[in-house]
Amino acid sequence: MTAIEQSSVAARPEGSRSWKKLRSSRSALAGLIIISFFSALAILAPLLPIADPVATSWSAIRKAPSAAHWLGTDDLGRDILSRMIWGARASLMAGVFSVLIAVGIGVPLGILAGYFGGWVDLVISRVTEALLALPFLIMAIALAAFLSPSLTNAMIAIGLSAMPIFVRLTRGQVLAVKQEDYVEGARSVGLGHMDIMLRYILPNVTAPIIVQATLTVATAIIAEASLSFLGLGQQPPAASWGSMLNVAKNFLSQAPWMAMWPGAAIFLVVIGFNLLGDGLRDALDPREH
C-alpha cells in the first residue's frame, strides 16, 4: 500500500476518534448546546409567536419585565424579547458569514504561499504582515465606515479584517504538510499542482482551520456588536444586540434590563463558540490520537 493510500485509510478511524473525544468533552457539549439554542431561535424567529420587533407602543415605554413583556420593553415601547430573538439572526449571520469570507480568501492565499514559496510567498506574506500590524477592530471599523453602514458591509469588513489570520495559519500548516511522504508520492506519480493542493494538502490542514474558524466566529460576533453599537452595522429599526446596547446606555439607571439581556446574550454566544473551539482543538489534535 502506498503512502497516499495509507493516509486516506488512516483518516477514517482518526475522524471517529475525534468525534468520540469531542462528545466526551463536557465544555464542548455545553458550548454546542448554547450555540444550538441561539441558532434555533434565530432560524425560527419568523415562525415564533412573538411581537413585531419594530412595533412601537407609547403606552409601554421602558416597562419592566412582566407577563405581557417577558424581558421588558425599550425606550420606544418595543418588546425586548422579540428584538433579542431577531437580533440573534443579525449576530449569528455576521459571525458565520464573516468567517466564511475570511476563510474563503485567506485559506487559498495561504495554500499558494506555503506550497509555491518564492516570490508568491514573499508578496502574500508581506501584505499579510502589513494587515496584521493593524488592530483587528480598528481595521474593521475603518472598512465598515468606508463601505457605508449596513449589516452586509459590516460582515465584509469583519471578514476582510480576519482574513490575514487564516493566511498565516494556513501557510504555516502547508509548509509542514508539503514535506510529508504522501505529498512526495503524489508528485512522483505526476499529479499536477492543483490536484496535490486540493487532494493532499487542503484535507490535511483543515483541522486547525476549523478550530480557528470556530474561535473567530466569537470574535466576529463581538466585532459586529461593536460596529452596530457605533452605528456602522445593522441599521435601525432592525434589531441588533449591539444597537440595543447603544440605546440602553442612556437608560442604565431607569431601565437596566435594556442593557442586561443583549449583554448576556453576547456573553453566552461568545462563551459557547469559545468552549466549542477549545473542544475541537483537543479533539482534532493529532498528538491526542
Side-chain angles (χ1 to χ4, degrees), residues 97-111 124-125 127-132 134 136 139-140 143 155-171 209 212 216 219-220:
F97 284 103
S98 297
V99 171
L100 288 177
I101 292 171
V103 171
I105 299 174
V107 170
L109 289 176
I111 291 176
I124 294 176
S125 295
V127 172
T128 300
E129 289 169 3
L131 294 175
L132 286 171
L134 300 172
F136 167 76
M139 183 176 175
L143 287 174
M155 290 190 289
I156 295 173
I158 295 168
L160 294 177
S161 301
M163 176 265 296
I165 299 172
F166 291 93
V167 176
R168 184 174 63 177
L169 172 64
T170 306
R171 175 185 176 273
I209 293 173
Q212 183 61 50
T216 305
T219 304

Side-chain angles (χ1 to χ4, degrees), residues 3 8 21 40 44 87 104 114 125 132 142 175 182-183 191 209 218 263 270 276:
S8 63
K21 186 172 179 60
L44 298 175
S125 295
L132 286 171
L175 288 175
Y182 54 83
V183 177
L191 288 181
I209 293 173
V270 169
L276 180 59

Side-chain angles (χ1 to χ4, degrees), residues 83 86-95 98 137 140-141 144-145 148-155 157-158 219-249 262 266:
R83 291 185 65 77
W86 282 90
R89 292 170 68 90
S91 293
L92 292 175
M93 279 179 57
S98 297
L137 189 56
I141 292 173
S148 77
S150 72
L151 181 60
T152 300
N153 289 338
M155 290 190 289
I158 295 168
T219 304
I221 289 173
I222 295 176
E224 186 278 330
S226 301
L227 292 178
S228 294
F229 184 88
L230 296 173
L232 297 173
Q234 181 81 292
Q235 296 300 294
S240 167
W241 293 341
S243 61
M244 291 174 70
L245 286 174
N246 183 33
V247 173
K249 75 180 189 300
I266 294 171

